[in-house]
Amino acid sequence: MKITIAENAGFCYGVMRAISMADEYIKKKGSIYSFGPIIHNPQVVADYEHKGMHVIESIGDANKPVLIRSHGVPSDVYMKMQSKNIKYIDATCPFVKEAQDYVKHLSEEGYSVVIIGDKHHPEVKAHISYADSKAVVINSVDDAKKVNMERIGVISQTTQSVDRFSKIVGELSKHCKELKVYNTICDATKNRQDAASSLAKVSDVMIVIGGRNSANTRRLYEICKHYCDKTYHIETAKEIDNSWFTNAESIGITAGASTPSYIIERVFNYIKEL
Ligand code: F3S
């Protein structure tokens, strides 16, 4: 049995940056709040709860400094923190910030802003807030068919699938007079998706590790499933069912941007021992 871990599996630049900012602060001051879970990985969030980072869901609950996670926050959160004199450490990923700037810019130029992504995801909720008038969020070619606007300005959730993004943009071009597109899918996402799909094509079984609430992990699962029918999404090695590997000769492993390397290693070692 050959077991291969895909290139670029695990923590991305933005997540590592947020984690090291949190570590540095906790080391110096002992504890901090995180506005929403620092990353979409329940195991890491539980570890940090012990270390001294407590999750709050409302900025009104903060009576000590707050870490803004890599997904970013809506613009009014900054205003609330300033008006309440709440100190914050901004760990918004620079690529997310860049997408927010594009939304602002498109909106100021008079484009109707269309965001390709999941409207329930915190990153997308934050993007919406940077448009002057309400931005439209779509996530499929069918959604794009319903759009009808003169001048459309498009950005993407940073973890969107490249393939889906291109198809949706292609469809949008049929429903407007002018289309301006910023491809804001980050390189880490693109590289991870490319490596995962190449590995899925040559694997009998694919294991995708990451939080069930992690958008980029779910996207990886969809991509791998397309090429390898026996693709399974797990959070930890405990969820592995040994029967998945019956008659399998090649096993591929990949992991979302918020999956720490120790969880990937445990999964690898578990399968190796089978
Ligand atoms: Fe940033 Fe891309 Fe990671 S936007 S948080 S580097 S997935």
Side-chain angles (χ1 to χ4, degrees):
M1 194 193 267
K2 187 178 166 219
I3 312 165
T4 312
I5 299 177
E7 276 178 46
N8 308 302
F11 279 180
C12 62
Y13 159 75
V15 165
M16 277 197 280
R17 181 173 169 269
I19 296 260
S20 73
M21 285 166 97
D23 284 341
E24 206 179 306
Y25 192 87
I26 294 169
K27 208 169 140 195
K28 274 196 219 143
K29 307 275 181 181
S31 66
I32 190 171
Y33 283 130
S34 157
F35 185 38
I38 181 165
I39 52 174
H40 282 157
N41 185 289
Q43 292 73 31
V44 173
V45 173
D47 283 352
Y48 271 88
E49 189 68 37
H50 289 299
K51 286 188 187 173
M53 183 159 59
H54 309 296
V55 178
I56 51 167
E57 296 299 340
S58 159
I59 210 69
D61 297 338
N63 55 9
K64 62 179 155 193
V66 176
L67 181 104
I68 304 298
R69 58 190 173 170
S70 54
H71 294 318
V73 286
S75 50
D76 68 323
V77 172
Y78 289 105
M79 287 187 258
K80 274 186 205 152
M81 289 190 296
Q82 269 151 18
S83 71
K84 288 174 179 279
N85 246 336
I86 298 169
K87 195 174 169 229
Y88 63 90
I89 290 104
D90 196 349
T92 306
C93 176
F95 300 116
V96 172
K97 273 255 189 256
E98 187 181 52
Q100 292 171 349
D101 289 343
Y102 283 136
V103 171
K104 224 166 144 194
H105 175 69
L106 287 167
S107 180
E108 281 163 7
E109 283 191 336
Y111 288 94
S112 303
V113 177
V114 173
I115 300 166
I116 300 179
D118 170 4
K119 65 179 176 205
H120 302 295
H121 193 280
E123 180 198 324
V124 174
K125 286 183 185 166
H127 288 328
I128 295 170
S129 72
Y130 290 89
D132 290 341
S133 52
K134 200 149 172 38
V136 175
V137 182
I138 61 172
N139 208 14
S140 66
V141 170
D142 281 345
D143 290 345
K145 285 181 183 160
K146 293 176 205 145
V147 173
N148 193 4
M149 293 159 177
E150 284 270 311
R151 301 174 74 223
I152 298 179
V154 181
I155 68 125
S156 172
Q157 185 175 349
T158 52
T159 51
Q160 183 59 261
S161 127
V162 177
D163 191 43
R164 185 187 299 184
F165 176 77
S166 331
K167 284 184 183 143
I168 295 176
V169 168
E171 185 61 37
L172 279 176
S173 66
K174 301 176 195 161
H175 302 271
C176 63
K177 283 224 164 68
E178 189 187 339
L179 185 66
K180 189 163 183 175
V181 181
Y182 288 109
N183 179 352
T184 51
I185 299 172
C186 81
D187 282 353
T189 300
K190 190 183 171 305
N191 295 342
R192 186 186 320 271
Q193 289 175 358
D194 287 349
S197 62
S198 305
L199 185 58
K201 281 177 195 165
V202 295
S203 297
D204 297 322
V205 177
M206 266 311 280
I207 303 294
V208 181
I209 317 165
R212 298 204 195 285
N213 53 351
S214 155
N216 77 85
T217 307
R218 288 201 305 264
R219 207 74 71 215
L220 277 181
Y221 170 79
E222 284 167 18
I223 291 168
C224 294
K225 183 81 181 162
H226 181 76
Y227 296 109
C228 172
D229 194 41
K230 287 178 141 193
T231 295
Y232 303 96
H233 177 179
I234 57 168
E235 285 190 353
T236 67
K238 284 188 193 135
E239 293 168 50
I240 292 175
D241 177 341
N242 297 355
S243 70
W244 295 343
F245 307 105
T246 311
N247 299 329
E249 287 178 5
S250 51
I251 317 290
I253 298 174
T254 187
S258 39
T259 308
S261 52
Y262 75 87
I263 294 187
I264 303 174
E265 272 162 38
R266 277 183 201 162
V267 171
F268 177 85
N269 289 333
Y270 180 90
I271 299 173
K272 204 168 114 192
E273 277 176 25
L274 280 179

